[in-house]
């Protein structure tokens, strides 16, 4: 039949027919009326999804509304959904958190938010698309009040994600396909894995800046941005057991990075090489290896490295990530710029270290794990959800024949800083220590506690967190 208007619902259940791709076959039906024809494709997506493929090629419009608190435009997303649980995973309340002002938005608030007269509108998120190829994405968060609620959605997610055996992938597939309207990818490719670690960390005995007695070594990893330097601090113990001790955000004013002795660089030195951490038993610890990303303004980072006194140079390592390097050990490279000939950097095998990291994060988030296992990872109970979202900000996907790490969130500094800490662990040779070596290290530090040198230990200065960063 020759048709002018064709509507195909539940496209993903049709799959590939004997005649070929469904969309191509439908286009053949409208050839006679091509100038005035209209084809409408809609579907609940499956994991092997055609509708998502076509959606990404379209204008990909989302329904934007104004936050009732700050007036900024936002959409309803799983990343913004928050909830409280009681008992054994029973959701008591659920709400959206505005990504701009972080205020609570309740389910009933969407009645007024979604009205066009209040500014709600469809906005294209794919500006490169053909404007006549319109696509619209609408998950169940937009369901009218009285239909499925945010509390129902949160409960369905919690039921699927936190079973006694971990994630129920069949239930999670149903949740993503029917509620989120996206395909579900199993394992570390799941963009919601951060929630599992966050829920576990909320029950941790540790708080931010706490250094327990089992920590023998401290490292830092830093990411340099235009307006800040993010510094992640890790403590290491027997067989690579680790604890994220702190996150320090150093504000950077205009052109401060150009001056090796500026306030920003002085603060960075103070919070890394100079800072004294005190363990529960009174033992003072300093960071022995400090990695700082040199991808942004590398010459400024190298100039800072050259300006340091000798005792600091030995613990400061500019780094650059390189996906193709094998193993976990960074490689030293000289800086070829003549004026910076005394500087060097470490090439870090970031791809293999990320796989290493996510493997051990998965091990560490299971309910029945043993913290004596190698590379058991722990987190304090007072890091924000944003911290964990950034930690899980990349997924390992296949692009054609090549596997690669792909960002699924705009910000990934926490992931980068964590990888640099792991690189420092290997660079300093701690990956080669046996259980007996770690025991010997603990004994030698216990002996140090008995010396007079430890009687008057001063901790470093109070943290100077930047306003506006809620990590």
């Amino acid at each position: 039949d020759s048709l002018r208007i064709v509507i195909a619902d539940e496209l993903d259940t049709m799959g590939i027919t004997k005649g070929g791709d469904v969309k191509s076959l439908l286009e053949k039906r409208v050839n006679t009326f091509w100038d005035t024809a209209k084809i409408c494709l809609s579907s609940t997506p499956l994991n092997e999804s055609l509708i998502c493929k076509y959606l990404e090629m379209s204008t990909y419009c989302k329904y934007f509304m104004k936050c009732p608190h700050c007036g900024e435009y936002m959409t309803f997303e799983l990343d913004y959904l928050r909830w409280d649980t009681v008992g054994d995973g029973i959701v008591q309340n659920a709400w959206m958190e505005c990504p701009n002002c972080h205020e609570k938005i309740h389910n009933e608030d969407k009645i007024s938010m979604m009205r066009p007269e209040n500014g709600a509108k469809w906005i294209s998120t794919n500006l490169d698309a053909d404007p006549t190829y319109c696509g619209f994405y609408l998950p169940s968060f937009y369901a009218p009040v009285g239909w499925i609620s945010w509390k129902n959605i949160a409960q369905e997610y919690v039921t699927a994600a936190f079973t006694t055996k971990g994630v129920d992938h069949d239930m999670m597939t149903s949740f993503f396909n029917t509620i989120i309207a996206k395909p579900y990818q199993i394992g570390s490719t799941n963009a919601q894995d951060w929630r599992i670690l966050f829920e576990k960390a909320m029950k941790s005995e540790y708080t931010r800046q706490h250094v327990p007695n089992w920590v023998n070594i401290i490292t830092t990893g830093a990411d340099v941005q235009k307006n800040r330097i993010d510094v992640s601090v890790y403590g290491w113990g027997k067989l690579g057991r680790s604890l994220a001790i702190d996150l320090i955000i150093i504000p950077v004013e205009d052109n401060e990075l150009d001056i090796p002795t500026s306030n920003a660089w002085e603060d960075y030195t103070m919070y890394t090489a100079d800072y004294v951490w005190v363990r529960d038993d009174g033992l003072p610890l300093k960071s022995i290896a400090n990695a700082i990303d040199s991808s942004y303004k590398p010459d400024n980072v190298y100039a800072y490295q050259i300006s340091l006194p000798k005792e600091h140079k030995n613990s400061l390592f500019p780094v650059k990530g390189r996906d193709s390097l094998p193993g976990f050990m960074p490689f030293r490279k000289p800086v070829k710029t003549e004026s910076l000939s005394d500087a060097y950097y470490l090439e870090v095998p970031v791809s293999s270290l990320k796989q290493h990291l996510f493997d051990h994060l998965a091990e560490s988030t299971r309910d029945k794990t043993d913290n004596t296992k190698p590379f058991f990872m722990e987190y304090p109970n007072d890091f924000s959800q944003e911290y964990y979202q950034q930690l899980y900000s990349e997924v390992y996907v296949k692009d054609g024949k090549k596997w690669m790490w792909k960002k699924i969130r705009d910000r990934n500094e926490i992931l980068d800083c964590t990888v640099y800490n792991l690189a420092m662990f290997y660079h300093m040779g701690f990956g080669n220590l046996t259980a007996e070596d770690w025991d010997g290290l603990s004994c030698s530090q216990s002996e140090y506690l008995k010396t007079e040198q430890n009687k008057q230990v001063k901790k470093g200065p109070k943290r100077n967190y930047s306003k506006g960063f809620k990590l």
Side-chain angles (χ1 to χ4, degrees):
D1 294 331
S2 294
L3 304 168
R4 189 176 72 84
I5 298 174
V6 174
I7 301 174
D9 192 22
E10 296 301 348
L11 180 75
D12 276 6
T13 63
M14 302 177 191
I16 303 297
T17 70
K18 290 182 180 180
D21 176 74
V22 174
K23 178 173 176 289
S24 297
L25 293 175
L26 295 176
E27 287 174 346
K28 298 293 189 297
R29 301 303 96 208
V30 301
N31 279 345
T32 305
F33 305 94
W34 191 251
D35 289 342
T36 59
K38 179 173 288 188
I39 298 176
C40 176
L41 309 176
S42 63
S43 186
T44 298
L46 302 179
N47 281 354
E48 299 295 329
S49 180
L50 284 174
I51 196 70
C52 288
K53 168 187 168 185
Y54 297 137
L55 177 63
E56 290 177 359
M57 296 164 57
S58 75
T59 55
Y60 207 139
C61 295
K62 292 185 178 182
Y63 200 63
F64 283 78
M65 305 141 297
K66 291 184 178 181
C67 169
H69 303 287
C70 67
E72 294 292 326
Y73 273 104
M74 62 173 292
T75 54
F76 294 147
E77 308 279 353
L78 182 58
D79 280 351
Y80 309 149
L81 184 65
R82 306 286 185 262
W83 60 80
D84 292 323
T85 56
V86 294
D88 190 17
I90 304 300
V91 174
Q92 188 176 33
N93 187 28
W95 63 95
M96 289 281 173
E97 182 181 282
C98 173
N100 302 298
C101 67
H102 304 285
E103 291 291 334
K104 286 186 177 182
I105 299 171
H106 299 286
N107 190 64
E108 56 272 18
D109 292 337
K110 63 183 175 183
I111 295 176
S112 60
M113 289 178 66
M114 290 174 60
R115 289 175 177 162
E117 59 265 31
N118 292 334
K121 57 185 176 181
W122 289 99
I123 298 177
S124 172
T125 62
N126 182 9
L127 301 180
D128 295 328
D130 180 347
T132 66
Y133 188 9
C134 302
F136 303 89
Y137 170 68
L138 199 71
S140 295
F141 299 121
Y142 291 86
V145 173
W147 294 22
I148 187 170
S149 69
W150 293 344
K151 179 180 176 182
N152 298 143
I153 293 173
Q155 185 64 71
E156 188 168 337
Y157 177 83
V158 169
T159 302
F162 302 107
T163 71
T164 54
K165 296 182 179 179
V167 179
D168 185 317
H169 295 299
D170 292 332
M171 293 176 65
M172 195 63 84
T173 295
S174 174
F175 174 80
F176 266 76
N177 291 173
T178 62
I179 301 296
I180 308 302
K182 288 182 178 180
Y184 171 69
Q185 296 174 296
I186 294 175
S188 62
T189 57
N190 174 14
Q192 293 302 311
D193 279 357
W194 68 268
R195 291 185 183 269
I196 302 173
L197 182 60
F198 171 71
E199 292 278 345
K200 181 175 183 288
M202 289 290 287
K203 302 172 185 176
S204 171
E205 63 181 296
Y206 304 120
T207 56
R208 194 171 183 162
Q209 301 182 18
H210 180 196
V211 185
N213 290 341
W214 58 262
V215 169
N216 291 315
I217 295 160
I218 290 179
T219 63
T220 73
D223 185 68
V224 181
Q225 302 286 323
K226 182 179 180 180
N227 63 340
R228 69 189 183 278
I229 302 175
D230 293 351
V231 183
S232 180
V233 184
Y234 268 75
W236 302 88
K238 190 173 183 178
L239 297 181
R241 180 184 177 188
S242 65
L243 172 67
I245 294 175
D246 203 1
L247 174 68
I248 305 153
I249 300 175
I250 303 169
V252 174
E253 303 296 335
D254 292 342
N255 302 321
E256 269 198 300
L257 294 178
D258 300 339
I259 307 169
T261 57
S262 68
N263 289 336
W265 287 120
E266 287 183 357
D267 287 347
Y268 172 74
T269 305
M270 177 174 61
Y271 291 136
T272 55
D274 282 343
Y275 196 84
V276 178
W277 299 90
V278 181
R279 241 171 37 173
D280 285 344
D281 57 8
L283 180 68
L285 294 174
K286 278 191 173 185
S287 174
I288 64 170
N290 305 286
I292 182 167
D293 184 24
S294 59
S295 299
Y296 178 71
K297 291 198 172 182
D299 288 351
N300 299 59
V301 177
Y302 302 144
Y304 163 70
Q305 179 193 32
I306 293 173
S307 71
L308 290 172
K310 184 177 181 181
E311 64 270 19
H312 286 51
K313 284 182 181 178
N314 294 334
S315 66
L316 186 282
F317 302 99
V319 295
K320 283 186 179 180
R322 185 177 165 191
D323 286 328
S324 58
L325 283 179
F328 305 137
M329 186 67 71
F331 291 89
R332 179 168 170 148
K333 293 281 186 177
V335 174
K336 296 181 179 179
T337 306
E338 185 175 345
S339 60
L340 301 169
S341 58
D342 292 337
Y344 67 93
Y345 63 94
L346 299 179
E347 278 192 337
V348 174
V350 289
S351 182
S352 56
L353 284 172
K354 285 175 185 175
Q355 293 181 50
H356 180 327
L357 171 66
F358 283 112
D359 284 346
H360 291 290
L361 280 174
E363 286 283 335
S364 303
T365 50
R366 292 173 186 162
D367 287 337
K368 297 180 179 179
T369 49
D370 180 0
N371 62 19
T372 62
K373 284 184 176 180
F375 290 98
F376 186 83
M377 306 185 73
E378 301 188 65
Y379 290 84
N381 58 32
D382 48 359
F383 278 162
S384 71
Q385 295 188 30
E386 171 72 13
Y387 181 97
Y388 298 96
Q389 288 174 331
Q390 286 196 33
L391 186 60
Y392 284 87
S393 58
E394 295 184 16
V395 295
Y396 200 50
V397 296
K398 194 172 185 179
D399 184 10
K401 295 183 178 181
K402 183 180 178 182
W403 284 88
M404 60 184 295
W405 289 96
K406 179 182 177 182
K407 285 178 65 175
I408 55 175
R409 291 189 172 87
D410 291 336
R411 294 182 58 185
N412 65 343
E413 302 96 272
I414 301 302
L415 174 58
D416 287 342
C417 291
T418 303
V419 168
Y420 298 151
N421 273 282
L422 193 55
M424 291 298 94
F425 178 86
Y426 281 104
H427 179 67
M428 301 305 291
F430 298 118
N432 299 322
L433 297 185
T434 64
E436 291 75 20
D437 294 332
W438 283 103
D439 288 338
L441 184 59
S442 297
C443 289
S444 63
Q445 292 186 343
S446 296
E447 287 297 318
Y448 176 75
L449 283 172
K450 300 175 184 179
T451 67
E452 293 294 320
Q453 186 178 357
N454 184 51
K455 286 188 176 180
Q456 295 182 345
V457 175
K458 293 183 180 179
K459 290 187 70 172
K462 186 178 179 181
R463 291 282 176 266
N464 179 25
Y465 295 105
S466 167
K467 293 181 180 180
F469 297 102
K470 297 189 67 175
L471 295 180

